[in-house]
Amino acid sequence: AQTVTQSQPEMSVQEAETVTLSCTYDTSENNYYLFWYKQPPSRQMILVIRQEAYKQQNATENRFSVNFQKAAKSFSLKISDSQLGDTAMYFCAHTGGFKTIFGAGTRLFVKA
Amino acid sequence: GAVVSQHPSWVICKSGTSVKIECRSLDFQATTMFWYRQFPKQSLMLMATSNEGSKATYEQGVEKDKFLINHASLTLSTLTVTSAHPEDSSFYICSAGESGQGRYEQYFGPGTRLTVT
């Protein structure tokens, strides 16, 4: 069975600072994908970053990067130079066998 | 990226009636679509996986006779909430999966807010 755990219900960060959101997962799949999604107040799901489990190199996307520790089943998201527009819910997700399971989410507040 | 639309974006219906939500992939063919339900301040819960031309696969605890899913074409899946009750009020999100060349991506619709009075 797949599970995704986000242990930080809420976090806040000062504008321009760096913040790390945690995520751990459990899976029985050998091939899988990991994602971070952003959900702003509009509730539209926006892909932030993806990681293929077979790739050892951590994914980066501009100000967003991940720390993927496959053996530890950990997949944290680092947001650098935080901006006010980064305020949103962030969901960690695992896709294996074409089934996606989401974590409970972390609400991030970026303060001016 | 690919676009997924949902219609309607919000709907209010009376208890006991049925309501249909459409999910369309606008610029790609989606052999697999997914339906999620999201309560306020909670995560997305997968309800069912919809495959074109075949019956949907429902997650444990989801009533297949209450939440009817039809995936009649490669660009359209529908979710019908039958005999709706106030507890069915929620935000429903569909998504379409696309895979190939070692990568997988899921495109999400904007969601449908259902209120049952």
Side-chain angles (χ1 to χ4, degrees):
Chain A
Q2 301 164 216
T3 60
V4 177
T5 303
Q6 292 179 250
S7 58
Q8 305 154 313
E10 279 191 9
M11 293 193 72
S12 63
V13 63
Q14 205 68 34
E15 193 177 11
E17 297 294 308
T18 295
V19 64
T20 299
L21 309 184
S22 301
C23 173
T24 58
Y25 64 94
D26 197 10
T27 183
S28 56
E29 301 283 340
N30 291 321
N31 298 314
Y32 57 90
Y33 303 84
L34 297 165
F35 302 88
W36 278 97
Y37 288 95
K38 171 184 178 181
Q39 189 180 43
S42 68
R43 304 187 79 170
Q44 172 73 59
M45 296 293 283
I46 300 168
L47 176 64
V48 174
I49 198 165
R50 80 161 66 78
Q51 175 81 43
E52 289 87 349
Y54 63 85
K55 290 187 178 179
Q56 292 185 334
Q57 187 172 8
N58 288 325
T60 63
E61 197 73 43
N62 299 316
R63 298 183 295 108
F64 301 90
S65 61
V66 299
N67 183 1
F68 174 44
Q69 301 290 326
K70 191 172 183 179
K73 294 183 179 175
S74 170
F75 183 62
S76 61
L77 173 69
K78 185 171 82 171
I79 305 175
S80 304
D81 185 26
S82 297
Q83 301 176 358
L84 296 178
D86 294 334
T87 292
M89 278 291 288
Y90 287 81
F91 292 102
C92 177
H94 168 290
T95 297
F98 299 108
K99 180 174 175 177
T100 299
I101 301 298
F102 290 85
T106 297
R107 185 170 298 278
L108 176 67
F109 295 94
V110 180
K111 297 181 288 187
Chain B
V3 178
V4 174
S5 71
Q6 277 184 247
H7 178 80
S9 55
W10 61 272
V11 58
I12 301 173
C13 70
K14 292 186 183 295
S15 187
T17 63
S18 296
V19 61
K20 180 185 286 188
I21 302 170
E22 293 186 349
C23 176
R24 293 182 185 272
S25 56
L26 298 186
D27 48 4
F28 69 103
Q29 294 183 329
T31 54
T32 304
M33 288 185 172
F34 305 89
W35 287 96
Y36 295 88
R37 183 173 183 176
Q38 186 180 31
F39 290 108
K41 298 186 178 182
Q42 293 189 23
S43 186
L44 283 72
M45 298 301 296
L46 179 64
M47 299 175 67
T49 301
S50 166
N51 293 295
E52 185 265 338
S54 64
K55 291 183 178 180
T57 302
Y58 290 81
E59 294 300 301
Q60 191 172 8
V62 178
E63 298 176 59
K64 61 181 181 181
D65 294 330
K66 181 168 187 61
F67 298 100
L68 300 179
I69 292 172
N70 183 274
H71 193 157
S73 76
L74 288 171
T75 59
L76 173 65
S77 177
T78 60
L79 168 67
T80 301
V81 183
T82 63
S83 186
H85 289 95
E87 57 265 31
D88 298 325
S89 298
S90 189
F91 193 68
Y92 293 87
I93 303 174
C94 75
S95 71
E98 186 178 57
S99 63
Q101 299 179 330
R103 59 182 293 275
Y104 177 80
E105 191 156 349
Q106 209 165 344
Y107 304 101
F108 288 86
T112 297
R113 184 181 303 280
L114 169 64
T115 301
V116 185
T117 61

